[in-house]
């Protein structure tokens, strides 16, 4: 018996050794700069990496270490990169959030991001300074299973879809308008992009669209995407949305999709005809090419949650050996009506964790209810959470907390709830708010419930969709509800198989309940992933276990009150 036990221990150690040996350190050298290109057939300035837009795709295996040596060649502004969905366990300074986890990288300076990708899944990266994500600073990050591991589903090939929206008005013009009095909204995007390509004022399917002009075939940077497939095979479509504003709906003509992954976590397979995807979300779906092999089929991308003044984006599922440019015979699928929220809610509620996934703690130690409201501050339009509109300090929270710096941010505790007499169904009687740099301190290893409470905006009968993204953690989505959240709603929480996500949506005039364990030392952003909403103050910051944060590299804290503090240059 003892010999058998020793043999099992030896086998376990050998397997662990093989996995450890298989893990790699993957090095990338990036230069961020502005460049001219034509994402939607109209020339514009975009933010690119190594002269490319979108940026290079990072591909790694679970357990690998990613090292990105990033040089900022933007002439007049800083830059940071956030690795969306990567929890940065042990490396909170690499999260890539300006004024929260690090100082912005100044022009012509270099910063080295070094972090481990601990779980397989579909992720992406993007700028997290100003509105640089809206300017095109983003790319895909794919993490495959570790050597010797397998996915809980089979597929024969893979297609990567990175979704975004695009404006012809540059981000600096947009930011000035958002910060002006009178307020100037950015408007709807001119086009939707699939892998950085879209078409403005023309149609890939002109024959199906009354009065449409055919798109130019000679412009390679906005040439339609055609994804080659073989008949009677199963393909994994990895889909991520880095949109600045638009909620999207994706369909493939005559093909069903089977949802199998959400935000890097496996989910119960569910077949759908179409899928909603909000900014910050990522999915994997399986598609079987079981239709007529003599035809191509449309991949159609439309706007949801806002009146669609932006035309759909179209790409082609190209059955070999058909010509990739062969226009599908059938018309493109049409998205559900933009304000059919019941359709959207049904899709979100049907996403459940795969059996065997981690389940949430039965009870929470703390409940924080975050009221999302549109407000006024000295006549300027803002978004606020519990009547505080977030502004970021000159010294990153992580540095000021680690080194116990005084007066680096507002030490006043932000509220865990909002007034009992606030009517979420109507515009606020007093919409005035305040600016704040406050932070929520969470007890380390405690279980926290966050209730995202939506409300009426400044205008009557207006309430918007808000997708919220949490850095440094995943959370369980325990449920959704209508109107104002009450204590009795806790009884409706799904504690059996809630999906484990890093991004979740709150629907108009409703609430969404999340639960997570505050077990990752650091300072972490939690915010609406709609770019202009975050710019206007729609976010909070959580901090936990700061005493357990390791040595922060000096290059991360070269600004504000941390600029002159002696630090180890290497963690």
């Amino acid at each position: 018996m003892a010999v058998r036990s020793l043999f099992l221990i030896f086998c376990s150690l050998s397997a662990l050794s093989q996995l450890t040996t298989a893990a790699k350190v993957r090095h990338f050298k990036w230069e961020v700069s502005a460049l001219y290109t034509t994402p939607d057939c109209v020339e514009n300035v975009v933010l690119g990496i190594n002269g490319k837009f979108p940026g290079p795709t990072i591909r790694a295996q679970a357990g690998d270490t990613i090292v990105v040596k990033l040089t900022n060649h933007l002439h007049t502004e800083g830059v940071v990169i956030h690795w969306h969905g990567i929890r940065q366990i042990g490396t909170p300074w690499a999260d890539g959030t300006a004024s929260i986890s690090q100082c912005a990288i100044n022009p012509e300076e270099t910063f080295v991001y070094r972090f481990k990708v601990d779980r397989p899944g579909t992720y992406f990266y993007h700028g997290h300074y100003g509105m640089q994500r809206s300017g095109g600073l983003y790319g895909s990050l794919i993490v495959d299973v570790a050597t010797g591991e397998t996915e809980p589903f089979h597929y024969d090939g893979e297609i990567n879809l990175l979704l975004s929206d695009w404006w012809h008005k540059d981000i600096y013009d947009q930011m000035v308008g958002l910060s002006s009095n009178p307020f100037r909204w950015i408007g709807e995007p001119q086009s939707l992009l699939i892998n950085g390509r879209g078409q403005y004022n023309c149609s890939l399917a002109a024959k199906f669209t009354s009065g449409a002009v055919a798109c130019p075939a000679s412009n390679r940077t906005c040439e339609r995407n055609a994804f080659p497939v073989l008949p009677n095979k199963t393909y994994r479509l990895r889909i991520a949305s880095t949109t600045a504003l638009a909620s999207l709906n994706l369909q493939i003509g005559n093909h069903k999709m089977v949802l199998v992954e959400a935000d890097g976590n496996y989910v119960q397979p569910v077949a759908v005809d179409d899928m909603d995807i909000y900014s910050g979300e990522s999915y994997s779906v399986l598609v079987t090419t079981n239709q007529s092999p003599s035809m191509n089929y449309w991949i159609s991308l439309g706007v949801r949650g806002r009146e669609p003044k932006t035309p759909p984006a179209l790409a082609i599922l190209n059955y070999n050996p058909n010509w990739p440019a062969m226009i599908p015979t059938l018309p493109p699928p049409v998205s559900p009506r933009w304000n059919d929220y019941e359709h959207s809610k049904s899709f979100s509620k049907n996403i459940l964790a795969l059996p065997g996934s981690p389940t949430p703690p039965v009870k929470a130690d703390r409940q924080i209810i975050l009221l999302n409201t549109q407000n006024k501050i000295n006549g300027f339009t803002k978004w606020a959470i519990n009547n505080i509109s977030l502004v970021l300090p000159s010294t990153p929270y992580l540095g000021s907390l680690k080194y116990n710096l005084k007066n680096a941010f507002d030490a006043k505790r932000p509220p865990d709830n909002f007034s009992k007499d606030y009517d979420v169904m109507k515009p606020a009687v007093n919409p005035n708010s305040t600016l704040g740099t406050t932070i929520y301190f969470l007890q380390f290893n405690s279980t926290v419930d966050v209730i995202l409470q939506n409300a009426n905006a400044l205008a009557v009968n207006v309430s918007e969709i808000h997708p919220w993204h949490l850095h440094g953690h995943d959370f369980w989505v325990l449920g959704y509800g209508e109107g104002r959240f009450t204590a009795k709603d806790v009884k409706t929480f799904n504690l059996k198989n809630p999906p484990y996500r890093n991004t979740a949506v709150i629907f108009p005039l409703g609430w969404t309940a999340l639960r997570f364990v505050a077990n990752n030392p650091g300072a972490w952003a939690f915010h609406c992933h709609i770019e202009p909403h975050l710019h206007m103050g729609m976010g909070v910051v959580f901090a936990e276990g700061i005493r357990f944060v390791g040595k922060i590299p000096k290059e991360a804290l070269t600004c504000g009150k941390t600029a002159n503090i002696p630090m180890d240059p290497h963690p």
Side-chain angles (χ1 to χ4, degrees):
M1 192 69 167
V3 173
R4 184 174 183 273
S5 299
L6 287 172
F7 176 74
L8 290 175
I9 293 171
F10 173 77
C11 290
S12 299
L13 290 174
S14 297
L16 180 62
S17 175
Q18 289 174 8
L19 289 176
T20 304
T21 303
K24 296 180 179 179
V25 179
R26 300 180 186 267
H27 293 268
F28 302 88
K29 186 177 181 180
W30 285 3
E31 295 180 348
V32 175
S33 62
L35 56 135
Y36 284 113
T37 189
T38 53
D40 62 353
C41 305
V42 176
E43 186 178 69
N44 218 316
V45 173
V46 305
L47 301 181
I49 296 173
N50 295 348
K52 295 180 180 180
F53 163 77
T57 295
I58 288 180
R59 189 125 203 171
Q61 286 184 292
D64 287 351
T65 296
I66 304 296
V67 180
V68 178
K69 184 178 181 181
L70 188 144
T71 301
N72 178 13
H73 286 318
L74 300 176
H75 299 300
T76 59
E77 62 186 300
V79 71
V80 294
I81 298 289
H82 169 55
W83 315 95
H84 188 107
I86 306 302
R87 293 176 294 179
Q88 300 295 345
I89 297 172
T91 53
W93 50 83
D95 189 47
T97 45
S99 295
I100 299 175
S101 64
Q102 69 171 109
C103 299
I105 306 162
N106 290 324
E108 302 310 322
E109 290 186 351
T110 298
F111 181 82
V112 178
Y113 288 100
R114 185 182 183 97
F115 56 91
K116 181 176 286 189
V117 288
D118 62 313
R119 298 176 305 165
T122 304
Y123 309 103
F124 61 100
Y125 62 84
H126 60 81
H128 216 293
Y129 180 76
M131 289 177 61
Q132 290 177 347
R133 170 164 57 95
S134 186
L137 189 54
Y138 47 75
S140 294
L141 198 170
I142 307 299
V143 182
D144 293 308
V145 293
T147 302
E149 300 293 323
T150 58
E151 306 272 15
F153 43 81
H154 167 78
Y155 54 97
D156 303 298
E158 194 171 298
I159 296 171
N160 188 32
L161 302 179
L162 185 63
L163 313 179
S164 53
D165 43 13
W166 187 249
W167 282 258
H168 295 162
K169 180 188 294 185
D170 69 52
I171 57 174
Y172 311 102
D173 193 341
Q174 292 182 38
M175 286 190 290
V176 171
L178 294 172
S179 304
S180 294
N181 186 9
F183 177 68
R184 297 187 185 184
W185 177 237
I186 64 172
E188 302 304 311
Q190 274 64 65
S191 53
L192 303 177
L193 308 182
I194 300 175
N195 294 354
R197 297 181 185 181
Q199 293 75 37
Y200 171 70
N201 205 25
C202 63
S203 173
L204 294 180
K207 69 177 182 177
F208 296 115
T209 310
S210 177
V213 177
C215 295
S218 58
N219 192 333
R220 296 296 301 274
T221 58
C222 66
E223 185 179 29
R224 63 172 168 257
N225 291 285
F227 300 102
V229 294
L230 294 173
N232 299 311
K233 300 291 184 181
T234 297
Y235 290 85
R236 179 182 189 170
L237 272 62
R238 293 184 181 268
I239 307 163
S241 175
T242 184
T243 56
L245 174 64
S247 302
L248 303 173
N249 182 269
L250 180 74
Q251 299 181 68
I252 304 174
N254 272 35
H255 290 74
K256 278 191 175 291
M257 298 175 285
V258 178
L259 190 69
V260 292
E261 178 217 345
D263 295 350
N265 296 286
Y266 300 126
V267 298
Q268 292 183 24
V270 56
V272 295
D273 294 314
D274 65 273
M275 59 183 297
D276 284 347
I277 179 167
Y278 302 97
S279 178
E281 291 186 329
S282 64
Y283 292 99
S284 284
V285 298
L286 301 181
V287 175
T288 300
T289 52
N290 54 8
Q291 298 301 301
S292 171
S294 64
M295 297 170 58
N296 287 340
Y297 299 87
W298 289 116
I299 299 173
S300 181
L301 189 67
V303 173
R304 302 280 284 124
R306 307 183 67 86
E307 189 171 357
K309 298 176 182 177
T310 308
L314 297 172
I316 290 177
L317 190 68
N318 168 219
Y319 272 61
N320 277 341
N322 300 326
W323 184 40
M326 184 178 78
I327 297 296
T329 304
L330 300 174
V334 178
S335 297
R337 182 171 172 78
W338 69 273
N339 58 356
D340 184 356
Y341 294 118
E342 292 308 312
H343 186 88
S344 302
K345 293 172 185 177
S346 176
F347 174 77
S348 295
K349 291 176 181 179
N350 281 333
I351 300 174
L352 300 171
L354 188 70
S357 300
T359 54
V362 176
K363 292 183 179 180
D365 301 304
R366 181 178 177 184
Q367 183 187 82
I368 302 173
I369 301 179
L370 300 179
L371 175 68
N372 294 231
T373 54
Q374 196 176 44
N375 295 75
K376 291 284 188 178
I377 298 179
N378 298 324
F380 293 87
T381 303
K382 298 289 183 181
W383 286 96
I385 304 302
N386 291 355
N387 212 41
I388 298 174
S389 184
L390 179 67
V391 291
L392 295 174
S394 58
T395 303
Y397 287 104
L398 183 63
S400 58
L401 292 170
K402 174 68 174 176
Y403 297 102
N404 198 28
L405 302 180
K406 305 299 182 184
N407 303 317
F409 58 87
D410 186 353
K412 182 180 178 182
R413 176 173 172 164
D416 280 11
N417 206 334
F418 60 97
S419 173
K420 293 182 179 180
D421 59 3
Y422 191 99
D423 188 348
V424 301
M425 308 300 288
K426 298 178 181 178
V429 176
N430 177 9
N432 291 326
S433 182
T434 58
L435 301 174
T437 58
T438 54
I439 188 168
Y440 286 89
F441 289 98
L442 309 178
Q443 184 178 346
F444 189 57
N445 275 331
S446 65
T447 299
V448 181
D449 276 3
V450 174
I451 311 300
L452 294 168
Q453 175 68 65
N454 213 339
N456 202 101
L458 288 172
V460 177
N461 295 326
V462 174
S463 184
E464 299 186 19
I465 279 177
H466 301 292
W468 274 73
H469 171 58
L470 178 59
H471 294 228
H473 309 76
D474 282 358
F475 47 68
W476 291 275
V477 183
L478 301 184
Y480 306 87
E482 309 296 329
R484 180 167 180 157
F485 177 84
T486 64
K488 66 181 181 181
D489 291 316
V490 173
K491 296 179 181 179
T492 69
F493 286 175
N494 173 17
L495 301 180
K496 179 182 177 182
N497 55 2
Y500 205 38
R501 308 286 306 262
N502 62 57
T503 303
V505 61
I506 44 170
F507 295 103
L509 300 175
W511 55 264
T512 299
L514 315 175
R515 179 169 293 176
F516 70 98
V517 179
N519 57 3
N520 191 8
W524 308 105
F526 182 44
H527 61 89
C528 178
H529 210 259
I530 292 175
E531 191 85 310
H533 289 184
L534 174 59
H535 184 75
M536 296 164 65
M538 198 171 192
V540 298
V541 177
F542 293 142
E544 70 217 45
I546 295 297
R547 66 187 183 279
F548 300 116
V549 172
K551 293 181 178 179
I552 303 174
K554 184 176 182 179
E555 293 85 354
L557 300 174
T558 58
C559 61
K561 294 178 179 292
T562 55
N564 298 317
I565 292 179
M567 285 178 281
D568 190 332
H570 304 289

